Amino acid sequence: MHAQVSGNPRITPLDPHEFTDEARQLIAETFSNVEAIDMSDIPSIFGIMFKHPGLYRAQLQLGNELGRGGCIPARERELAVLRVAWLSRTPYEWGQHLVYGKQAGLSDVEVERVTQGSDAEGWDDFDRAIVRAVEELMGDYAIADATWEVLASRWSEPQLMELPGLVGQYVMAAMVFNTMRFDLLEGNTGLRRR
């Protein structure tokens, strides 16, 4: 039996009038055009996370480092993140990163293939290795030699080091998001979204 992972959040979000100065600073760090934001429009997930600003800040910093500042190309990064989201059954992350993945160049066919895993037909060797590495990291907590060799044929050492951190970041996010039962943002249909 699977636990409920979205809807009916377990923690009531702060109302915007309850946001601390630290929460307002985190909003400024999260949203690029904070002056244009009506605080009442801040999604409830932020109101929940602002109850533990240190956890939110740490996730934000690591996410920014691995996303905006990361060295894995966007398409390959999103391929890995989507596989994490699918395996961890995280509706919020799947729905959000599906958009990012398509913006980064993933096709509808590739997205559907992510749901089938590394054994699905149609992957090229390198994409298969990325998907397989996620499966290995989430299963054995390490990348197997054969998968590593394929990844190392194209990626630099920093990229190879980054992948386990990326997977770990999104596994941690999945645990927090699923346990808190974050509501989906408007337009995000979760795991049904393709």
Side-chain angles (χ1 to χ4, degrees), residues 6-93:
S6 68
N8 194 21
R10 289 177 158 160
I11 293 179
T12 303
L14 294 171
D15 286 326
H17 72 275
E18 297 176 302
F19 289 172
T20 63
D21 289 342
E22 185 175 17
R24 292 179 190 284
Q25 178 60 38
L26 288 168
I27 291 168
E29 292 173 27
T30 302
F31 298 97
S32 58
N33 190 7
V34 72
E35 294 81 23
I37 294 175
D38 179 347
M39 289 296 165
S40 64
D41 291 336
I42 299 291
S44 65
I45 63 166
F46 296 101
I48 292 170
M49 291 304 293
F50 292 159
K51 287 189 169 181
H52 193 316
L55 176 62
Y56 178 75
R57 182 178 302 284
Q59 284 187 304
L60 178 65
Q61 289 173 334
L62 185 55
N64 284 342
E65 178 61 31
L66 296 173
R68 295 180 199 146
C71 54
I72 294 175
R75 182 191 166 279
E76 294 166 356
R77 179 187 67 238
E78 293 304 322
L79 182 61
V81 172
L82 283 171
R83 188 61 180 151
V84 171
W86 188 259
L87 289 175
S88 62
R89 310 303 296 161
T90 308
Y92 180 87
E93 288 294 357

